[in-house]
Amino acid sequence: MKYYLYKNPIFKVYAVVEDGRVRIRSSGIASSIMKPMVSGMLDIFDDKKPAKVEDDRLIFSTWMPPIPSTPFSRSVSNQIKCLRGNMVPEQVTISITEECPNNCIHCALPDTKNKDRLTPEYVKDVIDQSLDMGTTLIIFDGGEPLVYDGLEALISHVDTNRAVTAMFTSGVGLTPERARSLKEAGLYMVSVSFDSANEVGHDFMRGREGVYKDAISAVNNLMDAGLLVNIYVVISPRNIDELDDFYTLARDMGVHELSFYEIVPAGRWIDHETEILSPDDHRKLDDFVVRTDTMDGPRVFSIPHVMKTTGCFAGRKWLHITPQGDVLPCACIPIPFGNIHEETLKSVWKKIRKDPAYNADSCLMRDAEFRTLHLDI
């Protein structure tokens, strides 16, 4: 089966899956000229483990539209625009509410205690503006998005010919019925958060007894409903030695992907400046990614690992909207460049792109100088 990434009359690029690996091929009279020009974009696919293979589409990663699809074609167009210096917010995360039954010690949201939430009208407007700018992945976040009345209506509002939808959740209240409801609304992928592979450690980090059981139940119910499921782990010095345990958990539950993000001094973790990954921790993560790539289990997506070659995504490929309507370069950088109640998303994006800081080679919030200059700490 050929899964076309790109095709025109003189140049085609497609993927085939052989022995559980994605292989990139090209054809057409312009292939010898064009393929070297786009090899940098194609390297992310070639000889990699996919998240899921179906008869009519390839799910390379749960963070990416399926191949082929019109959202994926839009993503390819975005990459071509990037080569020309025109950056597009491909991933927009909308924190629709601050409400949450948990009390995570590393929550990125400020402790406003206001329990703010965006109205459905504003969320739908942000969705429409994002799609017009080229966004191909819209993520509903919180707080806990599952406590937001009308979540399914927001999911259904996203034009599936332009983007796919995802959700971050702790799993609270995600019953089999709710999982089916989310699937019927058009939700594409769900990231269920785990801070430890064991119950005691996870409940401690989440500040609520029973949240580990909620997460396990949520994964099972989402899988049964036929959704793409990603286990999402924020890696810190506290759980860096649980990498193999996380992999075993993800493999045993049959999820499609296991993703890692790096903890940074932000939100409630702002005073834990010394509790970030050390160079030795990064080596552990890198070795783990290489080792598991050939193992029988889920695809592993390590954002810190990827950023070593792509640079920081904040304000380049990512945008984040807070429950107050503030527009941030990413969820971990509490620097608002505007507010959706006062100006358009496009105008705020232009302001971010004019700031040279948002072309960084590595995570800005790991940079002590950046934090000192911009966050008054």
Side-chain angles (χ1 to χ4, degrees), residues 170-172 174 194 198-199 202-203 208-221 253:
S170 66
V172 59
L174 217 165
F194 282 82
N198 68 78
E199 184 172 358
H202 181 70
D203 286 0
R208 181 174 67 84
E209 188 174 335
V211 67
Y212 180 84
K213 289 185 173 69
D214 286 342
I216 294 292
S217 177
V219 169
N220 288 328
N221 293 335
M253 299 197 76

Side-chain angles (χ1 to χ4, degrees), residues 11 26 108 134 184 192 202 249 302 322 349 374:
F11 179 54
S26 65
E184 290 167 2
V192 182
H202 181 70
L249 176 67
S302 168
T322 73
W349 178 251
H374 296 279

Side-chain angles (χ1 to χ4, degrees), residues 26-43:
S26 65
S27 62
I29 59 174
S31 179
S32 60
I33 298 173
M34 294 298 297
K35 190 173 181 181
M37 296 174 62
V38 296
S39 60
M41 290 189 291
L42 299 179
D43 285 346

Side-chain angles (χ1 to χ4, degrees), residues 168-171 191-195 202 206 211 215 230-233:
F168 283 121
T169 180
S170 66
S191 282
V192 182
S193 296
F194 282 82
D195 293 308
H202 181 70
R206 292 272 146 177
V211 67
N230 169 60
I231 284 182
Y232 184 80
V233 180

